[in-house]
Amino acid sequence: MYRTTLLLIAATTSMLLAAQPINADHINLREPLSSTQLAERPDRPDDATRDQRSGGAVLWSEDFESGFNGWAVMTASGPVEWELTTTGNTGGFTPGPLQSTTGFPGGQWIVADSDLNGVPNVLENTTITSPPITGLDTVPYMLLRFEQSFRQLNNDETIVEVSGDGGLSWTAYPVNTEVAGNQSTPGAPLSETIELDISPALNGGSSDIRIRFQWLSVQGYAYSWQIDDIALVAALENDLRLESVSHAQWDIGQGNFAELPYSVYPTNEVRELSFQGSVSNIGSTTQTNVRLVVDVDGPSTNNVTLTSTAITLLPGQTENLTITGYTIPAVNGDYDLTYTVLQDEPESSPADNVREGHFEVSMNTFARDLGALEGDMDNAGAEYQLGNWFHVVDWQNTLHAVDVALSERSDPGAIIVAVVYDEDLNYIIESEEHVVQANELNDLGEGHFITLPLIDPVELEQDHDYFVAVHHYGGTADTWTGVSGLSQPQTSLFWDANDNTWYYVTVTPMVRMNLDPTVGQPELPAFGGRTIVASPTIFDQNTLVSFELERPADLAWTLTDLSGRTVQHGSLGRRAAGPQQFRVNGNGLAEGQYFLRLVSDGELRTVRLVKAG
């Protein structure tokens, strides 16, 4: 049971770039504190208290070894609820029992197990809330630390909420937002440690702290979230954290997709980048001269160090630091990025001050995926299209092909085509049909791409958006398209033939633009022209199959249904070079799709046929 990663938010074709409303009924959000509010917090405790609760000291903890200990479960919807466990998820399709500090084997922890208890398409909404945590009102700056294991299905939400006023109001901290569909937290079932700066929720100190964990799955029958070894920890004195980084910045209000963080830029599509790092002060003192430094290690001598404008960060404050003015050189190769946040004060915990990044410049490849298969998507056997938006800045580009990576769960013999759309999602052109071969598929971590040449090259207009997709017709011969990396909403789309609707997905399909003018489907030795042609392809009584031989050859053909079962076959004997034709009789065929395969001296050509009712 490897479930399809589908999308949850629909948009009509004419509204694809419009912001989608977010249903936040289940989250009681509170605005972050302003700099003024932070500056007006009460003075820190006296020295005696501070000595007893120095930075890094555990102030309170829960490992569930004695049961729930006053934690309260509330389930608003669905069959999934938080429960104590010694075995972890038991449905068999998440990583396994949580290997936390006090967990498996021999310990207890809590789990929301949708894999075992969930029901498809039934909303799941369950919370577990701590009892009052008191006696910490003299500690204004602290972190919430816990160990977890989580596996994502499709936009399942895992939310931590903290109240500093006994549950009257809550501050929400969504976690695991970076975990892609059908993927788990790093190292699972080994636990991952999460640290959240909850100081803004405490308003300078709290005598009644509550902690709440919420599992929410709109789709239902997802995977699981396992949690253990929860602790409140006193903040270190000087502690910055680099939360996230990017080499380009895009938001839905920009009107096009020029500033998406592409992973591979064609040589003539290099552009100015805007580096950004989100930096938090999770320590207990103000940090000065805080700046983002980006080291670009490019091919040959294309190395540079860039530094942002410096700022001051108060405790509990998060800001974005930006570096502009860097344009990618038109030099092919790998560009490795090292992001570092620095300040004047001596950093107490430097491990989370550095992050890595990467992009590539290639002669003809334009890509957004990360190049190695992390997951896959299909549509439960139904017809679908899946792809990415791209923005072209140059005036002399021609799109010759679309590259796509498929996972090893795809069926050899399935048929795919590539489709190209303009910025209004109007159809432009497609490729010829391609029969999937076993040696073209990818295991996790691999990155083999199938090149699908377009029927005719497309001259791309300068400063325009284009959408490229892989199209699978559906049927028992299934196609699982690879995904790699995350996509911002509205930038990667999925078309579901079941309801003829476009949706967006938040994982990146492994579907790329190929600008190589030499690309093309290689001519098979026994055939001329692009492919065999059936006229009409949708027929009732019979259809005429036409092709051309470059030299004399022995010919045979088979007609198979979507399950791969042969329903007709025949031999055409030895034919001379030149144009050739034969008819396929539709009498006795059930309506539906078929694939006609023509073999000439070991070379194969395929055309899709549709028997009408």
Side-chain angles (χ1 to χ4, degrees):
M1 180 193 64
Y2 191 99
R3 305 188 190 95
T4 303
T5 305
L6 277 179
L7 31 227
L8 294 178
I9 302 181
T12 64
T13 301
S14 61
M15 292 296 290
L16 280 168
L17 297 182
Q20 295 295 319
I22 298 175
N23 181 0
D25 292 343
H26 58 281
I27 307 175
N28 190 359
L29 294 172
R30 186 169 63 187
E31 290 297 320
L33 295 173
S34 68
S35 298
T36 302
Q37 289 172 306
L38 288 165
E40 293 174 351
R41 285 175 176 169
D43 293 335
R44 288 178 296 170
D46 58 48
D47 288 341
T49 305
R50 289 181 61 211
D51 289 342
Q52 297 170 12
R53 299 176 180 184
S54 57
V58 175
L59 309 172
W60 169 91
S61 65
E62 175 61 78
D63 60 12
F64 300 105
E65 294 307 305
S66 300
F68 275 129
N69 291 333
W71 286 72
V73 175
M74 178 175 292
T75 301
S77 177
V80 177
E81 64 180 17
W82 287 100
E83 55 189 331
L84 284 169
T85 182
T86 59
T87 59
N89 58 281
T90 52
F93 294 95
T94 42
L98 177 64
Q99 297 180 26
S100 58
T101 300
T102 64
F104 185 85
Q108 288 193 122
W109 61 97
I110 59 173
V111 61
D113 194 348
S114 177
D115 194 30
L116 176 65
N117 299 313
V119 176
N121 302 314
V122 175
L123 173 68
E124 300 167 5
N125 186 354
T126 183
T127 63
I128 184 168
T129 307
S130 72
I133 302 169
T134 59
L136 300 179
D137 51 301
T138 58
V139 186
Y141 308 117
M142 68 178 71
L143 306 179
L144 169 61
R145 178 187 298 163
F146 62 93
E147 299 181 38
Q148 68 154 9
S149 172
F150 164 70
R151 185 172 177 88
Q152 174 71 267
L153 176 59
N154 176 54
N155 292 328
D156 305 314
E157 295 184 55
T158 53
I159 303 159
V160 182
E161 296 176 279
V162 177
S163 173
D165 55 14
L168 296 178
S169 61
W170 296 85
T171 300
Y173 300 87
V175 295
N176 299 312
T177 56
E178 76 288 352
V179 180
N182 278 321
Q183 296 297 297
S184 302
T185 48
L190 292 174
S191 64
E192 177 189 40
T193 298
I194 300 294
E195 282 191 343
L196 303 174
D197 178 17
I198 64 170
S199 303
L202 305 182
N203 293 315
S206 170
S207 60
D208 186 347
I209 301 171
R210 311 285 177 96
I211 301 167
R212 185 162 70 193
F213 295 92
Q214 180 183 35
W215 164 270
L216 181 71
S217 176
V218 175
Q219 187 171 340
Y221 190 40
Y223 293 108
S224 71
W225 190 20
Q226 304 177 71
I227 294 172
D228 198 10
D229 296 317
I230 307 165
L232 294 178
V233 182
L236 297 169
E237 186 174 8
N238 303 306
D239 193 4
L240 292 180
R241 182 164 63 198
L242 190 53
E243 305 282 4
S244 62
V245 296
S246 179
H247 62 265
Q249 301 306 312
W250 178 87
D251 64 62
I252 202 166
Q254 291 178 355
N256 63 40
F257 299 100
E259 297 184 44
L260 285 173
Y262 297 97
S263 58
V264 185
Y265 297 84
T267 307
N268 63 341
E269 281 293 316
V270 295
R271 58 199 68 184
E272 182 178 334
L273 300 183
S274 175
F275 297 102
Q276 181 170 302
S278 175
V279 183
S280 296
N281 181 0
I282 62 174
S284 61
T285 62
T286 298
Q287 303 296 288
T288 60
N289 197 25
V290 178
R291 64 249 183 228
L292 177 69
V293 177
V294 178
D295 289 308
V296 182
D297 183 7
S300 185
T301 60
N302 291 282
N303 305 322
V304 64
T305 298
L306 309 165
T307 304
S308 72
T309 301
I311 63 171
T312 296
L313 270 183
L314 301 174
Q317 190 176 6
T318 298
E319 294 291 344
N320 289 326
L321 297 177
T322 303
I323 301 173
T324 59
Y326 171 83
T327 298
I328 308 171
V331 178
N332 293 345
D334 294 319
Y335 291 75
D336 294 316
L337 310 172
T338 302
Y339 300 81
T340 307
V341 61
L342 301 173
Q343 78 269 46
D344 284 348
E345 291 70 27
E347 172 65 33
S348 301
S349 179
D352 55 5
N353 289 39
V354 180
R355 284 179 176 258
E356 305 296 328
H358 178 84
F359 65 84
E360 181 183 348
V361 176
S362 172
M363 181 64 71
N364 297 305
T365 300
F366 203 0
R368 291 178 47 200
D369 64 87
L370 301 183
L373 187 137
E374 296 178 347
D376 54 7
M377 293 182 63
D378 82 334
N379 197 21
E383 184 179 5
Y384 73 91
Q385 296 185 46
L386 177 66
N388 299 308
W389 282 108
F390 293 85
H391 184 86
V392 174
V393 299
D394 194 55
W395 57 272
Q396 52 184 1
N397 278 313
T398 302
L399 181 62
H400 291 271
V402 173
D403 295 340
V404 59
L406 305 179
S407 87
E408 52 83 23
R409 294 197 297 156
S410 300
D411 294 319
I415 302 293
I416 59 172
V417 299
V419 190
V420 181
Y421 296 89
D422 67 14
E423 57 192 7
D424 296 316
L425 264 186
N426 294 318
Y427 170 90
I428 297 178
I429 203 166
E430 61 189 50
S431 71
E432 295 169 354
E433 294 178 344
H434 176 84
V435 183
V436 176
Q437 307 296 315
N439 62 1
E440 296 173 326
L441 306 180
N442 293 273
D443 288 320
L444 288 175
E446 294 182 335
H448 313 301
F449 284 83
I450 302 168
T451 296
L452 303 174
L454 301 177
I455 293 174
D456 289 304
V458 177
E459 298 295 330
L460 302 177
E461 296 186 54
Q462 184 180 19
D463 199 30
H464 275 64
D465 292 319
Y466 293 90
F467 181 74
V468 298
V470 61
H471 184 183
H472 171 57
Y473 298 117
T476 55
D478 204 358
T479 296
W480 290 78
T481 302
V483 296
S484 177
L486 301 178
S487 287
Q488 295 189 56
Q490 308 286 13
T491 68
S492 297
L493 306 180
F494 182 102
W495 176 74
D496 187 350
N498 290 317
D499 56 9
N500 191 29
T501 300
W502 286 99
Y503 300 87
Y504 72 70
V505 294
T506 54
V507 291
T508 306
M510 298 177 76
V511 179
R512 300 175 163 189
M513 281 187 163
N514 189 328
L515 309 179
D516 186 354
T518 67
V519 75
Q521 192 173 33
E523 295 298 334
L524 297 176
F527 291 89
R530 291 195 192 100
T531 187
I532 59 175
V533 176
S535 179
T537 56
I538 302 176
F539 67 99
D540 182 9
Q541 296 182 348
N542 59 69
T543 183
L544 182 66
V545 178
S546 303
F547 58 97
E548 186 170 344
L549 292 180
E550 291 183 346
R551 63 174 183 269
D554 293 314
L555 299 173
W557 62 273
T558 60
L559 188 68
T560 62
D561 61 19
L562 290 180
S563 70
R565 181 177 62 91
T566 298
V567 295
Q568 290 185 18
H569 63 88
S571 172
L572 302 179
R574 189 164 185 84
R575 295 277 183 108
Q580 306 290 334
Q581 292 182 329
F582 69 98
R583 289 192 178 274
V584 174
N585 190 341
N587 293 333
L589 289 179
E591 63 179 282
Q593 296 185 55
Y594 296 86
F595 300 112
L596 183 129
R597 293 174 170 86
L598 182 63
V599 179
S600 169
D601 293 343
E603 302 295 341
L604 173 68
R605 289 285 180 161
T606 301
V607 63
R608 182 174 64 101
L609 306 176
V610 178
K611 174 62 164 58

